[in-house]
Amino acid sequence: MNTSLPACCTAPTRHWPFPGAMPGAVLFSTRFKPTELSPTDFTVSAIDAPASIQRSVAKRQAEYLAGRLCARTALQQVNAELGVQAASIAPHLGEDRAPIWPAHITGSITHSDGWAAAIVAPNNAWRGVGLDAETLLEANRAERLAGEILIPAELQRLAQLPADQRAQLITLTFSIKESLFKALYPLVLKRFYFEHAEVLDWTATGQVRLRLLTDLSEEFHTGVEFTGQFNVSEGRMLTLVHI
C-alpha cells in the first residue's frame, strides 16, 4: 500500500505513557492541525472517510483522520510482532460509531485538542481496551460539571480534597469512565453512563480502581471491579482500562 503522511498530521510515534505495562499492546500518537487539513489528505493516506465524516467540519475530519492513522500504524506494528500476514487497514466506523477491528485485535482510539492516539492489542491476551484523552478541566468549569459526572459517593470523596486537586480528580473521573465504556461496550453491546460506574480510589502514581453499578451481562454486573491507569502530561489527562 503506497501512502503518504497527511498534511495535517505529524508522523505517529510509539510510546507508553502509563505506569504499568500491558504486554502485547502498542500505542501510537500524533499531533494534528485542522487548519492544515488538505482536500487530498484522506486520499494520499489511503484512509476511507465515511459519508458522515465527509460532511463534517475540518476539525472533525482531522481528528478522525489522525486517530485512524494512529490505529493503522499500531495495527501494522502488532501484526508484525505477531507474525500475522494481513492487510493493516484503518478500522472502519461501525453503525454504532465504534471502530470495527480485525477479528484477532482489540483496540481503542481517542483524540483531544490537536492530539490523537490509538492502542491496539491481540485479543487472545486482552479482551477489551479503552483509551481516552481529555484536556484538564479548568477549576470553575470542573466544579460546575462535578454534579453531572460524579455520583454522591464520589462527591463526598471530592469534598475532602484540597481545592487545587479537585479539577484533576473530576477530569480523571470523567475520562476513566469513558475508558471503561470503550473497553466494555464491544463485549456487552450495551450503553451505560457516568452514574453507572464509581471511582473507588486512585494513587498519585497513576493507578485507579473503579466499580460497575449496573448489570450489563452475566459476567459484567453490579459490583464488578476494574483497574485502570492514568497519566497527566501537557495539560492532558490520558486514561486506560484493559480487560
Side-chain angles (χ1 to χ4, degrees):
M1 181 189 299
N2 294 322
T3 64
S4 299
L5 191 67
C8 65
C9 299
T10 62
T13 57
R14 182 178 181 177
H15 58 111
W16 189 256
F18 298 106
M22 183 179 168
V26 170
L27 186 150
F28 276 85
S29 69
T30 183
R31 298 182 186 276
F32 65 91
K33 293 182 178 180
T35 55
E36 296 182 8
L37 180 72
S38 164
T40 61
D41 271 354
F42 280 91
T43 302
V44 300
S45 56
I47 292 176
D48 292 331
S52 61
I53 297 299
Q54 295 177 32
R55 296 190 298 265
S56 298
V57 298
K59 177 181 180 294
R60 176 61 183 131
Q61 291 184 14
E63 64 191 20
Y64 181 91
L65 179 60
R68 260 50 186 189
L69 180 66
C70 291
R72 184 178 65 193
T73 307
L75 182 56
Q76 288 171 340
Q77 184 65 43
V78 169
N79 279 342
E81 293 178 3
L82 292 175
V84 173
Q85 301 296 319
S88 298
I89 62 173
H92 295 296
L93 189 66
E95 292 185 4
D96 56 4
R97 304 192 64 78
I100 301 174
W101 299 98
H104 65 294
I105 289 294
T106 185
S108 186
I109 302 171
T110 190
H111 45 74
S112 175
D113 195 23
W115 186 87
I119 186 170
V120 170
N123 68 8
N124 61 354
W126 304 99
R127 296 170 58 198
V129 59
L131 181 71
D132 184 69
E134 303 290 339
T135 300
L136 285 171
L137 290 167
E138 181 270 332
N140 289 338
R141 184 161 185 256
E143 295 294 341
R144 290 196 303 270
L145 293 174
E148 300 176 26
I149 299 169
L150 280 64
I151 65 170
E154 293 169 335
L155 288 169
Q156 289 179 1
R157 286 190 283 272
L158 178 73
Q160 300 170 12
L161 287 181
D164 61 353
Q165 296 180 22
R166 290 164 61 94
Q168 179 169 312
L169 176 60
I170 295 167
T171 310
L172 169 62
T173 303
F174 181 99
S175 186
I176 199 71
K177 290 183 181 182
E178 288 285 336
S179 288
L180 180 65
F181 176 83
K182 290 181 178 182
L184 280 180
Y185 177 76
L187 301 177
V188 299
L189 298 178
K190 290 182 180 178
R191 296 192 175 277
F192 58 99
Y193 303 95
F194 292 124
E195 65 268 26
H196 297 140
E198 177 185 1
V199 173
L200 298 171
D201 54 52
W202 62 96
T203 69
T205 54
Q207 285 84 24
V208 191
R209 186 167 60 93
L210 61 168
R211 175 169 58 201
L212 201 59
L213 300 178
T214 189
D215 296 332
L216 300 173
S217 69
E218 288 189 7
E219 180 179 8
F220 301 112
H221 53 79
T222 300
V224 173
E225 294 188 7
F226 303 86
T227 56
Q229 304 185 62
F230 71 95
N231 171 269
V232 179
S233 178
E234 300 179 343
R236 182 188 312 112
M237 173 72 69
L238 187 66
T239 60
L240 173 70
V241 172
H242 42 72
I243 298 170

